Amino acid sequence: MKRVLPNRHLTQRLGFTAITLMAVLTVIPIVAVVIYIFLQGLPAISTEFLTGFPHDGMRAGGILPAIIGTMYLTVGTAIFSVPLGIAAAIYLSEYASDTPLTRTIRIAIINLAGIPSVVYGLFGLGLFVIFLNFGTSILAASLTLSIMTLPVIISTAEEALRSVPQAFRTVSISLGATRWQTIRRIVLKEALPGILTGVILGLERAAGETAPILFTGAAFFLPRLPQSPFDATMALPYHLFVISTQVPEMPIQIQYGTALVLLVFVLTMNLIATVIRSRARAKRQW
Amino acid sequence: MEKSLNWHEFVITRLIKASGYSAILFVALIFIFLVREGVPTFLETELSSLLSIRWYPIEEYFGILPLITGSLIVTLGATLVAVPFGIGTAVYISEIAPRWMREILKPLVELLGGLPSVVLGFLGILVLSPYLRLLLDLPTGLTAFTGSLLLGGIAVPTVVSVAEDALDAVPRAYREGAWALGATRWQTIWRVTFPAARSGVLTAVMLGIGRAIGETMTVMMVTGNAPVLALKLGSLFAPVRTMTATIAAEMGEVAGGSTHYHVLFFIGMVLFLISLGVNVAASSVVFRAKKRAERILS
């Protein structure tokens, strides 16, 4: 007996070390990627880089149109996906019972989440660009990105709504509020931080995506900013793809600078989401 | 007042219901449009040429086998990276890590999930592939292996978050029971907690594979884009071309309505059906496990 015990504790110690090592090996590259891009990209950042147009075949100048374009696309995506996604989440959490139809909706959402981004691009090309005749435009790209973002928003918003205690609803209804009043004034209000976190994380993904906008709205180079939702636009992720694969003799510093701006864009959204979530958790009284 | 309120409520309820159903509508629309543009492939080329081993669209060779094997080998490699590291990290976060460590690790893994794939592809071209070329003494660093490593990293967050949820959902009483019987924490993890979370972990693996097979930009940038049949282990260290990368790289240049265009949509259809299969399988595993749990607990 005495010889067995130390052995299993040794196994445990070895095992814990191995697992810890794996976790560390998973996380280090993430941190390294972020730090590396910051170090390499920072020297490229200047006022001209952030506010100027590219010139000399994109080998000089700034990336303003790509920054603005990504902002347009993110806002466009939010306009369509946020109301629709939150409404769908309200339906699933507050109205739907466990019927075959509801289960079909859930399977559909899981499937939407799994469809490859480039397939979304094909779909957007088929439906928005060609069938509805929007052309390669901010509108078509935003709609494509919205549908891709929808499952993220629906599932996180539903989770946030469900975490509001049932008693809140019962009390509100018993005070004479209607169902919708209860949802709007009580449930939505309590679930807001959770919903916001999900929305931002969803939009963060949309902002960084390239494949869905390849054939629906992204432009290689534009001499001016887009004027209407029916114009094509430059976008940071697509621009990074273009200058790192399609343009020969591209100065490396501009490439890293573009990667850094994209990374900061995405990281800022991620940070905001994380802060909202941890603040809400700390403040929660139920 | 009363009446207008009811009318208001009626409209809003309808709108909310319609939004709820929209997910089904979108999946249907996606499928319809892929079929609409993809099915003409069968009228324009023969099945035998589609299933041949030569992809050379300029001369009307549309054999998609090299693209399928390309996707498979890169996904296989990515799975070999993502599964052990993903599950290891999930076990660490859920079972071993102290609380403060968990608070650091979870957002970091989430951050990896949010890194644009084009950024990883960019670093793959500039940093990883030259390094691997020297290290492994290869003619080029843009290989299926490079793609697998990066893709593994992209699939890790999916595996970690789903597997961690599954481990978290195991009732604490299971662990306490094992400890009370004298098992070490390590024994408890592998003989009690992990088996109890098995179906969730399986789902995590499947969703991770689904994520890897559908990834586009990174593989397009780092796998070298050579549509050759990849059947041997050695193919892992040679350039390949995946289905996703083919669509992304060629769709911009084809004429709308041409055979090439239809074949690309057909590949999209195949990808859609693969992800449908993976996700339905993954959710049915969860569903069955839930049923079993209900049976045991009732």
PDB file of all heavy atoms in Angstrom, chain B residues 220-236:
ATOM      1  N   MET B 220      -5.505  29.613 -48.018  1.00  0.00           N
ATOM      2  CA  MET B 220      -5.209  30.128 -49.348  1.00  0.00           C
ATOM      3  C   MET B 220      -3.829  30.802 -49.362  1.00  0.00           C
ATOM      4  O   MET B 220      -3.073  30.687 -50.313  1.00  0.00           O
ATOM      5  CB  MET B 220      -6.280  31.129 -49.770  1.00  0.00           C
ATOM      6  CG  MET B 220      -5.940  31.838 -51.053  1.00  0.00           C
ATOM      7  SD  MET B 220      -7.393  32.391 -51.905  1.00  0.00           S
ATOM      8  CE  MET B 220      -7.745  33.919 -51.109  1.00  0.00           C
ATOM      9  N   MET B 221      -3.494  31.487 -48.270  1.00  0.00           N
ATOM     10  CA  MET B 221      -2.248  32.238 -48.252  1.00  0.00           C
ATOM     11  C   MET B 221      -1.021  31.358 -48.014  1.00  0.00           C
ATOM     12  O   MET B 221       0.058  31.645 -48.515  1.00  0.00           O
ATOM     13  CB  MET B 221      -2.335  33.349 -47.192  1.00  0.00           C
ATOM     14  CG  MET B 221      -3.315  34.446 -47.585  1.00  0.00           C
ATOM     15  SD  MET B 221      -3.803  35.491 -46.207  1.00  0.00           S
ATOM     16  CE  MET B 221      -2.531  36.748 -46.244  1.00  0.00           C
ATOM     17  N   VAL B 222      -1.166  30.275 -47.239  1.00  0.00           N
ATOM     18  CA  VAL B 222       0.059  29.562 -46.850  1.00  0.00           C
ATOM     19  C   VAL B 222       0.221  28.148 -47.399  1.00  0.00           C
ATOM     20  O   VAL B 222       1.246  27.518 -47.156  1.00  0.00           O
ATOM     21  CB  VAL B 222       0.218  29.488 -45.308  1.00  0.00           C
ATOM     22  CG1 VAL B 222       0.212  30.868 -44.696  1.00  0.00           C
ATOM     23  CG2 VAL B 222      -0.848  28.606 -44.687  1.00  0.00           C
ATOM     24  N   THR B 223      -0.787  27.589 -48.101  1.00  0.00           N
ATOM     25  CA  THR B 223      -0.597  26.195 -48.512  1.00  0.00           C
ATOM     26  C   THR B 223      -0.026  26.049 -49.916  1.00  0.00           C
ATOM     27  O   THR B 223       0.121  24.950 -50.424  1.00  0.00           O
ATOM     28  CB  THR B 223      -1.908  25.386 -48.428  1.00  0.00           C
ATOM     29  OG1 THR B 223      -2.893  26.070 -49.192  1.00  0.00           O
ATOM     30  CG2 THR B 223      -2.353  25.221 -47.006  1.00  0.00           C
ATOM     31  N   GLY B 224       0.318  27.143 -50.573  1.00  0.00           N
ATOM     32  CA  GLY B 224       1.044  27.039 -51.830  1.00  0.00           C
ATOM     33  C   GLY B 224       0.178  26.893 -53.068  1.00  0.00           C
ATOM     34  O   GLY B 224       0.667  27.004 -54.188  1.00  0.00           O
ATOM     35  N   ASN B 225      -1.130  26.609 -52.881  1.00  0.00           N
ATOM     36  CA  ASN B 225      -2.069  26.614 -54.006  1.00  0.00           C
ATOM     37  C   ASN B 225      -1.697  25.737 -55.191  1.00  0.00           C
ATOM     38  O   ASN B 225      -1.814  26.157 -56.331  1.00  0.00           O
ATOM     39  CB  ASN B 225      -2.290  28.045 -54.492  1.00  0.00           C
ATOM     40  CG  ASN B 225      -3.251  28.787 -53.594  1.00  0.00           C
ATOM     41  OD1 ASN B 225      -4.171  28.174 -53.034  1.00  0.00           O
ATOM     42  ND2 ASN B 225      -3.021  30.063 -53.410  1.00  0.00           N
ATOM     43  N   ALA B 226      -1.266  24.487 -54.937  1.00  0.00           N
ATOM     44  CA  ALA B 226      -1.008  23.591 -56.045  1.00  0.00           C
ATOM     45  C   ALA B 226      -2.031  22.460 -56.013  1.00  0.00           C
ATOM     46  O   ALA B 226      -2.036  21.664 -55.088  1.00  0.00           O
ATOM     47  CB  ALA B 226       0.403  23.017 -55.955  1.00  0.00           C
ATOM     48  N   PRO B 227      -2.921  22.416 -57.019  1.00  0.00           N
ATOM     49  CA  PRO B 227      -3.962  21.389 -56.987  1.00  0.00           C
ATOM     50  C   PRO B 227      -3.444  20.010 -57.397  1.00  0.00           C
ATOM     51  O   PRO B 227      -3.700  19.547 -58.490  1.00  0.00           O
ATOM     52  CB  PRO B 227      -5.000  21.921 -57.984  1.00  0.00           C
ATOM     53  CG  PRO B 227      -4.277  22.845 -58.870  1.00  0.00           C
ATOM     54  CD  PRO B 227      -3.081  23.343 -58.139  1.00  0.00           C
ATOM     55  N   VAL B 228      -2.690  19.381 -56.520  1.00  0.00           N
ATOM     56  CA  VAL B 228      -2.201  18.032 -56.811  1.00  0.00           C
ATOM     57  C   VAL B 228      -2.818  17.053 -55.821  1.00  0.00           C
ATOM     58  O   VAL B 228      -3.132  17.407 -54.694  1.00  0.00           O
ATOM     59  CB  VAL B 228      -0.654  17.942 -56.722  1.00  0.00           C
ATOM     60  CG1 VAL B 228      -0.019  18.648 -57.893  1.00  0.00           C
ATOM     61  CG2 VAL B 228      -0.159  18.505 -55.412  1.00  0.00           C
ATOM     62  N   LEU B 229      -2.977  15.824 -56.276  1.00  0.00           N
ATOM     63  CA  LEU B 229      -3.586  14.805 -55.428  1.00  0.00           C
ATOM     64  C   LEU B 229      -2.703  14.549 -54.204  1.00  0.00           C
ATOM     65  O   LEU B 229      -1.521  14.290 -54.330  1.00  0.00           O
ATOM     66  CB  LEU B 229      -3.750  13.516 -56.236  1.00  0.00           C
ATOM     67  CG  LEU B 229      -4.874  12.572 -55.807  1.00  0.00           C
ATOM     68  CD1 LEU B 229      -6.215  13.288 -55.892  1.00  0.00           C
ATOM     69  CD2 LEU B 229      -4.872  11.340 -56.694  1.00  0.00           C
ATOM     70  N   ALA B 230      -3.286  14.657 -53.022  1.00  0.00           N
ATOM     71  CA  ALA B 230      -2.501  14.489 -51.796  1.00  0.00           C
ATOM     72  C   ALA B 230      -2.944  13.222 -51.085  1.00  0.00           C
ATOM     73  O   ALA B 230      -3.931  13.219 -50.368  1.00  0.00           O
ATOM     74  CB  ALA B 230      -2.687  15.704 -50.888  1.00  0.00           C
ATOM     75  N   LEU B 231      -2.245  12.133 -51.343  1.00  0.00           N
ATOM     76  CA  LEU B 231      -2.663  10.863 -50.744  1.00  0.00           C
ATOM     77  C   LEU B 231      -1.640  10.300 -49.766  1.00  0.00           C
ATOM     78  O   LEU B 231      -1.966   9.536 -48.877  1.00  0.00           O
ATOM     79  CB  LEU B 231      -2.939   9.822 -51.836  1.00  0.00           C
ATOM     80  CG  LEU B 231      -4.157  10.114 -52.722  1.00  0.00           C
ATOM     81  CD1 LEU B 231      -4.283   9.085 -53.812  1.00  0.00           C
ATOM     82  CD2 LEU B 231      -5.423  10.167 -51.882  1.00  0.00           C
ATOM     83  N   LYS B 232      -0.363  10.658 -49.955  1.00  0.00           N
ATOM     84  CA  LYS B 232       0.674  10.098 -49.098  1.00  0.00           C
ATOM     85  C   LYS B 232       0.979  11.041 -47.933  1.00  0.00           C
ATOM     86  O   LYS B 232       0.619  12.212 -47.954  1.00  0.00           O
ATOM     87  CB  LYS B 232       1.950   9.861 -49.907  1.00  0.00           C
ATOM     88  CG  LYS B 232       1.798   8.784 -50.952  1.00  0.00           C
ATOM     89  CD  LYS B 232       2.935   8.832 -51.935  1.00  0.00           C
ATOM     90  CE  LYS B 232       2.927  10.163 -52.663  1.00  0.00           C
ATOM     91  NZ  LYS B 232       3.781  10.296 -53.789  1.00  0.00           N
ATOM     92  N   LEU B 233       1.663  10.495 -46.960  1.00  0.00           N
ATOM     93  CA  LEU B 233       2.039  11.302 -45.809  1.00  0.00           C
ATOM     94  C   LEU B 233       2.962  12.433 -46.249  1.00  0.00           C
ATOM     95  O   LEU B 233       2.925  13.540 -45.713  1.00  0.00           O
ATOM     96  CB  LEU B 233       2.730  10.421 -44.765  1.00  0.00           C
ATOM     97  CG  LEU B 233       2.837  11.051 -43.381  1.00  0.00           C
ATOM     98  CD1 LEU B 233       1.452  11.279 -42.805  1.00  0.00           C
ATOM     99  CD2 LEU B 233       3.662  10.176 -42.462  1.00  0.00           C
ATOM    100  N   GLY B 234       3.787  12.141 -47.290  1.00  0.00           N
ATOM    101  CA  GLY B 234       4.727  13.138 -47.797  1.00  0.00           C
ATOM    102  C   GLY B 234       4.027  14.361 -48.346  1.00  0.00           C
ATOM    103  O   GLY B 234       4.588  15.458 -48.386  1.00  0.00           O
ATOM    104  N   SER B 235       2.762  14.182 -48.753  1.00  0.00           N
ATOM    105  CA  SER B 235       2.014  15.312 -49.308  1.00  0.00           C
ATOM    106  C   SER B 235       1.834  16.407 -48.277  1.00  0.00           C
ATOM    107  O   SER B 235       1.583  17.560 -48.615  1.00  0.00           O
ATOM    108  CB  SER B 235       0.620  14.858 -49.768  1.00  0.00           C
ATOM    109  OG  SER B 235       0.703  13.706 -50.536  1.00  0.00           O
ATOM    110  N   LEU B 236       1.944  16.023 -47.015  1.00  0.00           N
ATOM    111  CA  LEU B 236       1.791  17.002 -45.943  1.00  0.00           C
ATOM    112  C   LEU B 236       2.867  18.083 -46.061  1.00  0.00           C
ATOM    113  O   LEU B 236       2.666  19.217 -45.659  1.00  0.00           O
ATOM    114  CB  LEU B 236       1.890  16.290 -44.593  1.00  0.00           C
ATOM    115  CG  LEU B 236       1.368  17.022 -43.363  1.00  0.00           C
ATOM    116  CD1 LEU B 236      -0.074  17.450 -43.535  1.00  0.00           C
ATOM    117  CD2 LEU B 236       1.514  16.151 -42.122  1.00  0.00           C
TER     118      LEU B 236
END
